[in-house]
Amino acid sequence: MPYDREAAVAYARNWALSRNPAYYDFEDLGGDCTNFASQVLYAGSGVMNFTPDTGWYFISVYDRAPAWTGVEFFARFIVNNQGRGPYGRFLPLENAVPGDFIQLSFDGVTFEHTLIVLETGSPPSPDNIIIAAHTYDSLDRLLNTYDYMDLRLIHIDGVRN
């Protein structure tokens, strides 16, 4: 089934500068960026994957998949998911569309931050991609305002029931 990009972007815009009380705020446990990205992805997909260890789900702070809150686990789940839930792939940045995700590496080695694509120019580039994020709460921020060494785009292809 298709990924509802409009619902994902609407959720991101609504909650970028605050916290949805239905979810735990991981700000003091390493950051809330990927938790927020997962909420956005769930708003656009409506399907979680409850596979132990390798799935993508949130029930509570004590009952969640590593992919719900971990930058690397989130990426790995999406690009490798063959079961229920959202799936996608890494693509060059010029393929970014609203509702996709960008992950940043500040040291050039480890990806440490997850952003939500809200808008893009044509063709998409760091100078015209507008994002939302948690941890360093951002709404309508240009990608080129981050000081990063590497980035990767996670394009969402669809959702499986």
Side-chain angles (χ1 to χ4, degrees):
M1 69 188 223
Y3 172 57
D4 187 342
R5 293 177 179 283
E6 288 182 11
V9 168
Y11 185 96
R13 287 191 171 286
N14 190 52
W15 292 104
L17 302 178
S18 61
R19 301 294 186 269
N20 182 338
Y23 297 95
Y24 188 82
D25 179 0
F26 290 88
E27 192 81 26
D28 295 329
L29 295 175
D32 199 58
C33 65
T34 305
N35 175 47
F36 179 54
S38 285
Q39 293 172 40
V40 169
L41 184 57
Y42 183 62
S45 67
V47 180
M48 292 185 188
N49 180 313
F50 293 95
T51 305
D53 301 322
T54 60
W56 173 78
Y57 65 91
F58 178 90
I59 297 170
S60 74
V61 65
Y62 305 107
D63 190 2
R64 69 184 192 278
W68 190 270
T69 54
V71 175
E72 284 294 338
F73 293 107
F74 178 84
R76 197 173 311 137
F77 170 78
I78 293 170
V79 301
N80 294 314
N81 182 26
Q82 298 296 311
R84 286 178 52 90
Y87 61 93
R89 58 202 152 125
F90 296 122
L91 287 179
L93 190 63
E94 57 267 17
N95 293 282
V97 292
D100 282 344
F101 301 89
I102 294 171
Q103 292 187 324
L104 302 179
S105 172
F106 301 113
D107 63 5
V109 177
T110 305
F111 286 92
E112 304 159 293
H113 196 39
T114 306
L115 315 171
I116 296 97
V117 176
L118 299 178
E119 299 175 31
T120 66
S122 183
S125 75
D127 296 330
N128 64 29
I129 292 176
I130 297 172
I131 62 86
H134 271 190
T135 301
Y136 307 104
D137 293 3
S138 300
L139 176 62
D140 293 326
R141 180 174 175 176
L142 277 169
L143 178 58
N144 69 3
T145 64
Y146 284 91
D147 185 19
Y148 59 88
M149 293 187 68
D150 197 9
L151 63 74
R152 63 185 177 195
L153 172 70
I154 304 171
H155 175 76
I156 306 303
D157 288 320
V159 181
R160 292 186 196 93
N161 276 326

